[in-house]
């Protein structure tokens, strides 16, 4: 495992990012941009499911925001992997980084649970849907905080 | 139920913010002492690159972490991974952590192999 992470750091792309004072801040900025889009779309989607902005049609609103959230997550995943590659072994050994990955996994499972619930109930699933939406907001906020702490621990 | 749920989200976020406030590591100088501090020892690891340049130093058996300037600035001062290697003697002058038990400092000047590198020329001690 140690060799695996050390190997990642030796990849040409990782070595280039380590030394580039233009590429690294750009990737960093794109990561922030993805996170911003992800958190915003997740929050709005979950708040709508909880009953906020009732004037907006739920199905269309949620479908649009879910699409944005998935694209944003893909962006965060790509840019995050690039940032990780520069100091892979250091980050992989940090409890707060591992906590962030575990939280992302939980948030992903929560998303799948919500998708299954919607499919089973055919769209509206008020009670349990709300619980999952609140859980989603909590989990993604925790992911954000854990992520920020990687730079400070 | 829904209002309560949202309120609990807001409360949790506020608590996490409050818990996070004391955390600051290598950014700025707020975490360091005012007076100059000098560390001498052997380099055990060098990292000059994004996001932060660091030096690990063994000083009489104590493992120290020396934080340096942003990597672009460190390299501009002439300090690269080529000018020093693991095992070299180094003198790091700068400010140590306010936390006395923490073996961590931020360097403004590094002296290695007879050469001086001022990574924060505006903060080095007067000659």
């Amino acid at each position: 495992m140690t060799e695996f992470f050390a190997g990642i750091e030796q990849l040409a792309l990782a070595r280039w990012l380590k030394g580039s004072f233009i590429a690294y801040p750009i990737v960093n900025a794109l990561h922030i941009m993805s996170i911003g889009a992800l958190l915003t779309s997740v929050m709005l989607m979950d708040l709508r499911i909880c009953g906020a902005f009732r004037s907006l049609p739920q199905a269309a609103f949620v479908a649009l925001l879910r699409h944005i959230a998935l694209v944003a997550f893909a962006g965060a995943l790509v840019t995050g992997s690039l940032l990780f590659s520069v100091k892979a072994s250091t980050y992989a050994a940090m409890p707060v980084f591992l906590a962030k990955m575990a939280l992302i996994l939980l948030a992903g499972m929560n998303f799948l649970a919500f998708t299954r619930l919607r499919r089973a109930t055919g769209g509206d699933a008020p009670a349990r849907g709300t619980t999952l939406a609140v859980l989603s907001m909590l989990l993604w906020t925790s992911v954000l905080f854990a992520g920020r702490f990687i730079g400070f621990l | 139920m829904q209002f309560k749920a949202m309120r609990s989200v807001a409360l949790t976020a506020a608590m996490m913010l409050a818990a996070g406030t004391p955390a600051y590591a290598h950014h700025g100088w707020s975490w360091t002492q005012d007076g100059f501090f000098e560390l001498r020892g052997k380099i055990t690891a060098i990292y000059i690159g994004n996001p932060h340049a660091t030096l690990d130093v063994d000083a009489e058996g104590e493992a120290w972490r020396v934080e340096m300037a942003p990597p672009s600035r460190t390299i501009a001062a002439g300090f690269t991974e080529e000018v020093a290697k693991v095992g070299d003697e180094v003198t790091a002058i700068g400010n140590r952590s306010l936390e006395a038990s923490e073996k961590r400092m931020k360097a403004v000047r590094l002296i290695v192999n007879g050469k001086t590198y001022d990574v924060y020329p505006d903060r080095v001690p007067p000659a």
Side-chain angles (χ1 to χ4, degrees), chain A residues 24 28 32 91 147-153, chain B residues 21-32 50-54 67-71 95 97-98 102 104-107 120 123:
Chain A
Y24 188 90
N28 208 334
I32 295 170
Y91 295 132
R148 186 69 283 230
F149 270 84
I150 294 171
F152 294 84
L153 293 177
Chain B
T21 317
Y24 37 74
H26 25 239
H27 297 266
W29 302 85
S30 59
W31 58 279
T32 60
N50 291 308
H52 298 285
T54 58
E67 309 268 1
M68 290 186 279
N95 308 75
S97 170
L98 284 172
E102 194 181 30
R104 187 188 282 262
M105 67 174 288
K106 185 152 175 165
Y120 280 104
R123 295 188 73 110

Side-chain angles (χ1 to χ4, degrees), chain A residues 127-149:
Chain A
R128 270 189 61 205
T130 306
T131 313
L132 294 180
V134 170
L135 202 59
S136 161
M137 287 191 272
L138 276 174
L139 284 169
W140 285 112
T141 306
S142 309
V143 169
L144 178 86
F145 276 79
R148 186 69 283 230
F149 270 84

Side-chain angles (χ1 to χ4, degrees), chain B residues 8-60:
Chain B
S8 71
V9 171
L11 266 176
T12 311
M15 272 159 58
M16 289 171 87
L17 264 178
T21 317
Y24 37 74
H26 25 239
H27 297 266
W29 302 85
S30 59
W31 58 279
T32 60
Q33 294 178 1
D34 285 338
F36 282 107
F37 176 75
E38 189 176 305
L39 181 77
R40 280 166 198 267
K42 268 196 165 61
I43 297 174
T44 55
I46 305 179
Y47 183 86
I48 312 283
N50 291 308
H52 298 285
T54 58
L55 211 56
D56 289 340
V57 175
D58 176 272
E60 292 166 4

